[in-house]
Structure formats: structure tokens, C-alpha cells
Amino acid sequence: AIALAELGQFERALELYEEQLEITRREKGDDHPDYATALHNAAVLYVKLKRPEKALEYETKALAIREAKLGPK
């Protein structure tokens, strides 16, 4: 997905990021730090796709997971 994004193939990259999100959620749970990382990665791509609302939604979820698991800064 990273390589596709670097090549400007954002929609295809997004498909892979969304697939990664689903696999990580299913395998590790929706409260796992790895899921938070996957959410963040997808959020970065949503920014590049000029979809800030979705990016904010994903970043908000990622932050909540990290704070719950790792504590607030």
C-alpha cells in the first residue's frame, strides 16, 4: 500500500489499507495498538485523498485506543 501511494495510486492503496484494517481488527481486536497504527496509516492516505472528515474519524479512534492502552501523554 505504501508503494502504491508513493506512485500516486491512492485509491488502490486505500483498498489495501482498508483490508489491512479489517485483518488487524479481526486478528488482534479493535482495541489493540496495532489496530491504532493501521487506522493512522489509513488516515494519512485519506488526507492525501482530500477526505479530511474520514481522516479525522480514523485519527480520533487511533488516539482513543492509544490513550486507553498506553495512557495519555
Side-chain angles (χ1 to χ4, degrees):
I2 294 169
L4 289 169
E6 288 297 317
L7 291 170
Q9 297 180 25
F10 299 124
E11 291 296 333
R12 179 66 182 121
L14 183 58
E15 291 173 16
L16 294 178
Y17 275 124
E18 290 292 344
E19 186 177 335
Q20 176 193 14
L21 273 171
E22 179 55 30
I23 291 168
T24 304
R25 185 196 60 74
R26 186 176 59 242
E27 296 295 321
K28 297 187 176 185
D30 61 4
D31 63 344
H32 194 280
D34 287 349
Y35 184 64
T37 299
L39 285 165
H40 167 75
N41 291 341
V44 170
L45 191 55
Y46 276 116
V47 168
K48 290 184 181 202
L49 288 167
K50 307 223 184 298
R51 295 176 58 188
E53 296 85 8
K54 192 70 170 176
L56 181 59
E57 174 190 337
Y58 278 22
E59 286 290 12
T60 301
K61 287 180 184 178
L63 180 60
I65 293 165
R66 287 184 179 120
E67 286 183 340
K69 291 294 182 176
L70 306 173
K73 278 194 161 189

